[in-house]
Amino acid sequence: MQNLSHAIVIGAGLGGLAAAMRLGAKGYSVTVLDRLDRAGGRGSSITQNGHRFDLGPTIVTVPHVFEGLWKACGRDFHKDVDLRPLDPFYEVRWPDGTSFKASCDDEKMFAEVSKVSPTDLKGYKRFLKDSRARYVVGFEGMVAKPMHRLWETIKVLPKFAALRADRSIYGLAAARVKDERLRMALSFHPLFIGGDPAHVTSMYALVAHLEKEYGVHYAMGGVQAIADAMADVVRGQGGVIRHETNVDEILVEDGAAKGVRLSDGTQLDADVVISNADAGYTYDHLLRNHAKRRWTVQKLRKRRWSMGLYVWYFGTKGTAEMWPDLGHHTIQNGPRFKGLLRDIFIKGKLSDDMSLYVHRPSVTDPTAAPEGDDTFYILSPVPHLGWKDAVDWEREEAIYREKVAAVLEGMMPGFRERITTELVFTPETFRDRYLSPHGAGFSLEPRILQSAWFRPHNVSEEARGLYLVGAGTHPGAGLPGVVSSAEVLGKLVPDAPVRAAQSRMAAE
């Protein structure tokens, strides 16, 4: 009897793995095809000289997204993943020596706000109410809901209007607090999903409520441990994950996706194809031989893409007791906030100044580095490669690294002499390793007219039986977003025909 329930998932990123889990739970025989050597995609890791470098996301902000995924597969997330709450979540620092430590404790947060600007406490409390209201509409009401029908977006427009979704998240923060440092601290979060705080919608204020309600967590073993646990669930369902396997094309017959062709010419048939590849790459390359109705190359090129990322990973020897004030997550601001955003997102210019995200997982997780040592991940937002005068990273990388090092020296004196191993990712790495258009770190920028119905849909209009998950589709980038995209998928893809037939027989 012909197997009518085979699904192929292109990409073993967290969105692809979550999709494979959802489809396995719905009775499909699943094959995951991935070009890297291990699971996780941008959430994977590389180990050098005993230092584990988590390459992409580093925190979990909405654990129930994972708990729901595991539950759908008849499993307990917390039995498979050791998740630890962080307190504080992170520390934000400014050049004048001011700092702000974020946590879920109201009184601690009120004290931190008052420390920076006592007169802004009342406005901060208003911001918290703004955040909760946007959470109810934007997260509870939209994130895990299919948005491929225009009506679903139209229905929420009155609520969006009432919440002033047309105003930027920075604009909302500026309306509530006067201190520029606090405005930054309340509005920077969209940078972690590729958005310009000066232009993305104020709906992203919901992140403050997410942090307050659910906390910020770290998975022991890094996000790689979550990806490995997801891969174990897929294999436990009978699924197959093939690494170092490159998909060259999605095959379409009579308007329906029928499988894929690999780069070595091998053809694999399937009844359902899910692409966890970037939406831009999916439509521009994987469907290059198929006439497209909506997502043509020209339309994709007119989209606004997220910024690029410069990431310096390094391990240091004998530093576990050094720099005691440097915790797990630190954001070191440069002298400018809005000006730097303008250079990155509007001008496409590589600035001399920068803001840095410093990740030091070894203070929490002893598996991240050899005993007594440290592992670091330093991230700087930079322009993507799609600008007319794009940065030549082969020429600029060493120069930029020295500029980053100069900032770090103020935080971690003597760190350069302690480095034992290092690795650098530039936007060119993201382009080549992850096939990300323009080397963008988070696919399409999450502006309001590139969200919900305006974003590439989870169910493709270009071929029946083709679905999209991951950062480039609804609801967007970030761990909650990409995992929720698979929850949306689960609502769109019917149960496998074989399982449906078995269910009818059992009922009879």
Side-chain angles (χ1 to χ4, degrees):
M1 180 178 176
Q2 183 182 8
N3 183 3
L4 299 178
S5 55
H6 183 223
I8 286 178
V9 178
I10 304 170
L14 298 175
L17 293 170
M21 291 170 67
R22 292 276 180 185
L23 292 174
K26 293 171 77 68
Y28 285 85
S29 169
V30 181
T31 300
V32 183
L33 306 169
D34 192 80
R35 65 197 305 269
L36 301 181
D37 61 354
R38 65 184 311 174
R42 300 182 195 206
S44 61
S45 67
I46 291 176
T47 299
Q48 290 183 182
N49 296 357
H51 294 269
R52 187 191 67 247
F53 300 125
D54 299 306
L55 301 177
T58 60
I59 58 174
V60 176
T61 52
V62 193
H64 75 257
V65 169
F66 286 98
E67 293 164 355
L69 173 62
W70 254 253
K71 184 176 181 181
C73 301
R75 303 280 290 262
D76 182 347
F77 172 67
H78 294 285
K79 287 184 178 179
D80 292 343
V81 177
D82 182 2
L83 206 61
R84 306 282 181 92
L86 297 178
D87 186 19
F89 303 153
Y90 48 81
E91 181 181 18
V92 183
R93 298 179 177 182
W94 290 275
D96 65 0
T98 308
S99 66
F100 179 95
K101 292 183 179 180
S103 72
C104 58
D105 184 287
D106 280 342
E107 293 306 317
K108 287 183 179 179
M109 289 294 282
F110 297 159
E112 289 294 308
V113 169
S114 296
K115 180 181 69 175
V116 177
S117 177
T119 58
D120 278 322
L121 182 58
K122 182 178 180 180
Y124 170 70
K125 292 179 178 179
R126 286 189 63 191
F127 184 86
L128 289 181
K129 293 180 180 179
D130 296 331
S131 174
R132 187 184 185 285
R134 283 156 178 77
Y135 164 81
V136 171
V137 174
F139 194 90
E140 289 186 344
M142 295 180 67
V143 163
K145 186 174 183 178
M147 299 298 292
H148 60 285
R149 294 186 175 91
L150 181 58
W151 174 242
E152 297 300 330
T153 296
I154 292 174
K155 285 194 301 185
V156 301
L157 291 181
K159 293 180 180 178
F160 269 45
L163 293 173
R164 287 298 309 275
D166 60 308
R167 174 190 282 169
S168 72
I169 174 62
Y170 177 84
L172 175 64
R176 296 294 180 252
V177 298
K178 302 303 181 185
D179 189 282
E180 279 296 331
R181 294 163 299 182
L182 284 180
R183 289 174 174 179
M184 175 273 159
L186 299 182
S187 68
F188 76 90
H189 301 90
L191 286 167
F192 287 109
I193 55 172
D196 174 1
H199 288 92
V200 300
T201 173
S202 64
M203 295 302 292
Y204 284 106
L206 63 84
V207 175
H209 183 77
L210 287 177
E211 291 183 345
K212 173 180 165 59
E213 187 73 13
Y214 301 109
V216 171
H217 301 76
Y218 173 82
M220 299 299 283
V223 171
Q224 179 70 72
I226 299 178
D228 290 342
M230 296 171 83
D232 287 344
V233 173
V234 172
R235 295 188 183 102
Q237 294 170 325
V240 174
I241 301 176
R242 292 175 55 177
H243 288 293
E244 299 181 297
T245 301
N246 191 55
V247 175
D248 183 59
E249 184 178 1
I250 295 172
L251 302 176
V252 178
E253 295 178 13
D254 299 324
K258 293 298 183 181
V260 301
R261 180 180 292 110
L262 307 183
S263 56
D264 64 4
T266 302
Q267 180 173 319
L268 303 177
D269 297 330
D271 299 278
V272 177
V273 177
I274 294 88
S275 181
N276 183 214
D278 189 280
Y281 184 81
T282 298
Y283 288 128
D284 190 8
H285 181 80
L286 297 181
L287 285 174
R288 64 188 181 278
N289 294 319
H290 174 65
K292 291 174 281 294
R293 294 189 290 267
R294 183 181 184 191
W295 294 108
T296 62
V297 175
Q298 290 76 16
K299 287 186 178 179
L300 282 167
R301 286 176 180 167
K302 292 178 181 178
R303 301 278 108 177
R304 296 195 65 91
W305 295 84
S306 68
M307 77 285 196
L309 301 174
Y310 177 90
V311 196
W312 184 11
Y313 312 91
F314 57 80
T316 54
K317 184 70 174 175
T319 59
E321 302 300 323
M322 295 178 67
W323 318 305
D325 64 332
L326 190 64
H328 193 125
H329 298 288
T330 306
I331 298 164
Q332 178 63 55
N333 277 283
R336 302 179 301 151
F337 181 54
K338 291 186 71 179
L340 185 59
L341 294 175
R342 192 177 305 111
D343 284 349
I344 295 169
F345 289 94
I346 306 302
K347 297 180 178 179
K349 170 188 173 184
L350 185 64
S351 304
D352 289 327
D353 62 322
M354 64 196 68
S355 292
L356 300 177
Y357 164 57
V358 180
H359 181 222
R360 190 185 188 183
S362 37
V363 300
T364 300
D365 185 354
T367 69
E371 186 175 357
D373 299 347
D374 268 313
T375 292
F376 287 94
Y377 158 139
I378 315 298
L379 181 150
S380 175
V382 296
H384 61 61
L385 301 174
W387 297 93
K388 182 179 179 180
D389 298 315
V391 178
D392 180 352
W393 283 102
E394 185 175 348
R395 183 185 68 216
E396 294 290 339
E397 190 280 315
I399 299 171
Y400 196 73
R401 193 186 322 185
E402 289 304 314
K403 294 176 182 178
V404 173
V407 176
L408 291 176
E409 191 64 36
M411 306 172 65
M412 307 154 52
F415 84 96
R416 291 297 296 267
E417 293 74 26
R418 301 275 185 162
I419 292 178
T420 58
T421 186
E422 58 188 318
L423 177 69
V424 171
F425 276 21
T426 72
E428 292 178 352
T429 315
F430 281 76
R431 177 196 63 198
D432 300 338
R433 178 180 173 88
Y434 303 123
L435 305 178
S436 179
H438 308 305
F442 305 90
S443 191
L444 294 170
E445 187 183 357
R447 293 201 178 193
I448 194 165
L449 293 181
Q450 293 189 164
S451 301
W453 181 84
F454 299 101
R455 204 167 183 84
H457 299 158
N458 304 93
V459 53
S460 175
E461 54 272 86
E462 306 298 351
R464 298 188 307 280
L466 174 62
Y467 300 85
L468 274 65
V469 293
T473 186
H474 173 70
L479 287 187
V482 299
V483 174
S484 293
S485 72
E487 184 175 351
V488 174
L489 173 83
K491 297 173 181 178
L492 295 171
V493 179
D495 286 356
V498 171
R499 180 180 176 183
Q502 292 173 339
S503 297
R504 286 195 299 272
M505 291 174 63
E508 292 171 359

